[in-house]
Amino acid sequence: MGLFLNIIRGFCMSLADSVPGVSGGTIAFVLGFYDEFIGSLYSIAAEGLDAKKCALLFLGKLGIGWVIGMSSSVLVLASLFETHIYQLSSLFIGLSIFSLPLIIVEEKKSLKDKYGKLIYAIIGIGIVVLITYFNPAGGKGTNVDVSNLNLSLGAYVFVAAMIAICAMVLPGISGSTLLLIFGLYVPIISAIKEFLHFNFAYFPVLCVFGFGVLAGILSTIKLVKTALTEHRSAMVYFIIGLMIGSIYAIIMGPATLKVPQSPVSWESFSPLSFILGGVILLLLTLLKNYSERKLQLQLKRSE
């Protein structure tokens, strides 16, 4: 049961990581294993050999599900993003908005009577809005051919991957949203799809992206764990701010396609896709409750 459950958890995280909106960290938070996830990453980076073995076992199980989910998701997403951008954007907005109350309820103890920390939520909103508005890629990332890697493009992809993985491990803005902001989401998704179709011209850029992800984890996980442990109220408000700000980034997402389209408007918004985002999160919450009840029953039987 433990192996199957963790594969399902990894699968759900990968689906979140593969699309702008909710991060894999949010899914881990909603499903109730976020602290174990962060602790395992920290053990890989800073703990002893025994702790590393336990962490690798746990992360390996998650990884199996993550790879399965990411591969299947990318094969579908790359084409859908060109043909159904407004439906997908509406789905991402739904995932973002409906996940907010879930996190607030989970963290009500750390948020209660700490309203002075709201400034961190405002900072989080401001960071995402400013990065989106002043897109540092200048739109270049959506048109560049990532199969022809050069030094400047490689450095840009490496740094973007480092920043994106920081978002993926936080229960807030997704790494895919940041890639969308930096103009690299569509090129990276397309590169993964081409690689899965055995087009190895994209292998170098995926290697650079992968090394950026590893560097980002190793350089930031201790900071993230310390902040969540010692300054949890401020961090949760900051995460909520990032999530609210990411809605603006998703609305502007269609403008980052190879053929730029208008941002999401009331006319192009899809209420059905928006509601589907809420349904998906509801199903994930039910899965979390089921797994918790299953664990409690196992503990009672072992006593």
Side-chain angles (χ1 to χ4, degrees), residues 29 162 204 207:
F29 209 96
M162 286 186 66
C207 285

Side-chain angles (χ1 to χ4, degrees), residues 183-258:
L184 284 172
Y185 178 74
V186 173
I188 293 298
I189 288 292
S190 299
I192 296 173
K193 180 182 179 182
E194 289 296 326
F195 180 74
L196 291 173
H197 284 110
F198 303 105
N199 183 352
F200 296 107
Y202 293 87
F203 183 68
V205 74
L206 293 178
C207 285
V208 171
F209 187 81
F211 284 126
V213 166
L214 291 175
I217 290 175
L218 294 175
S219 61
T220 62
I221 192 61
K222 185 175 181 179
L223 178 64
V224 170
K225 181 175 173 59
T226 301
L228 285 169
T229 302
E230 300 182 6
H231 308 283
R232 195 168 188 90
S233 297
M235 277 297 293
V236 172
Y237 273 115
F238 180 64
I239 287 165
I240 290 172
L242 292 175
M243 293 178 67
I244 295 171
S246 72
I247 296 169
Y248 174 71
I250 296 166
I251 290 172
M252 299 302 295
T256 70
L257 295 175
K258 289 182 179 180

Side-chain angles (χ1 to χ4, degrees), residues 24-289:
T26 301
I27 299 303
F29 209 96
V30 170
L31 294 182
F33 66 97
Y34 182 72
D35 287 334
E36 186 177 5
F37 172 61
I38 290 295
S40 296
L41 290 176
Y42 178 77
S43 296
I44 295 294
E47 296 291 344
L49 183 60
D50 289 338
K52 280 183 170 62
K53 289 180 180 178
C54 293
L56 283 172
L57 182 61
F58 174 72
L59 293 174
K61 295 173 184 177
L62 287 181
I64 294 171
W66 195 93
V67 170
I68 294 171
M70 180 60 72
S71 300
S72 57
S73 179
V74 164
L75 290 172
V76 175
L77 277 176
S79 56
L80 284 181
F81 234 80
E82 298 293 336
T83 57
H84 296 84
I85 181 61
Y86 294 112
Q87 289 85 350
L88 284 175
S89 295
S90 301
L91 174 68
F92 303 155
I93 292 170
L95 288 170
S96 298
I97 290 178
F98 285 112
S99 65
L100 282 169
L102 295 176
I103 288 183
I104 291 171
V105 169
E106 283 287 335
E107 290 293 327
K108 59 184 177 182
K109 289 184 179 179
S110 60
L111 296 176
K112 188 177 180 181
D113 300 326
K114 300 288 178 59
Y115 305 117
K117 305 288 187 182
L118 275 169
I119 185 63
Y120 293 99
I122 296 172
I123 292 171
I125 295 171
I127 287 174
V128 179
V129 171
L130 287 173
I131 292 175
T132 306
Y133 187 77
F134 299 104
N135 186 342
K140 176 186 71 173
T142 56
N143 297 310
V144 70
D145 182 6
V146 292
S147 66
N148 297 318
L149 195 65
N150 55 50
L151 185 61
S152 60
L153 176 60
Y156 184 74
V157 170
F158 184 86
V159 172
M162 286 186 66
I163 297 172
I165 194 60
C166 296
M168 286 180 182
V169 300
L170 284 172
I173 182 174
S174 75
S176 292
T177 300
L178 284 181
L179 290 179
L180 193 67
I181 292 169
F182 292 138
L184 284 172
Y185 178 74
V186 173
I188 293 298
I189 288 292
S190 299
I192 296 173
K193 180 182 179 182
E194 289 296 326
F195 180 74
L196 291 173
H197 284 110
F198 303 105
N199 183 352
F200 296 107
Y202 293 87
F203 183 68
V205 74
L206 293 178
C207 285
V208 171
F209 187 81
F211 284 126
V213 166
L214 291 175
I217 290 175
L218 294 175
S219 61
T220 62
I221 192 61
K222 185 175 181 179
L223 178 64
V224 170
K225 181 175 173 59
T226 301
L228 285 169
T229 302
E230 300 182 6
H231 308 283
R232 195 168 188 90
S233 297
M235 277 297 293
V236 172
Y237 273 115
F238 180 64
I239 287 165
I240 290 172
L242 292 175
M243 293 178 67
I244 295 171
S246 72
I247 296 169
Y248 174 71
I250 296 166
I251 290 172
M252 299 302 295
T256 70
L257 295 175
K258 289 182 179 180
V259 180
Q261 300 185 41
S262 301
V264 178
S265 64
W266 288 113
E267 289 74 23
S268 58
F269 178 76
S270 171
L272 185 61
S273 299
F274 175 79
I275 294 171
L276 179 60
V279 172
I280 291 171
L281 283 177
L282 175 62
L283 293 175
L284 290 175
T285 303
L286 293 175
L287 176 62
K288 171 194 171 184
N289 294 336

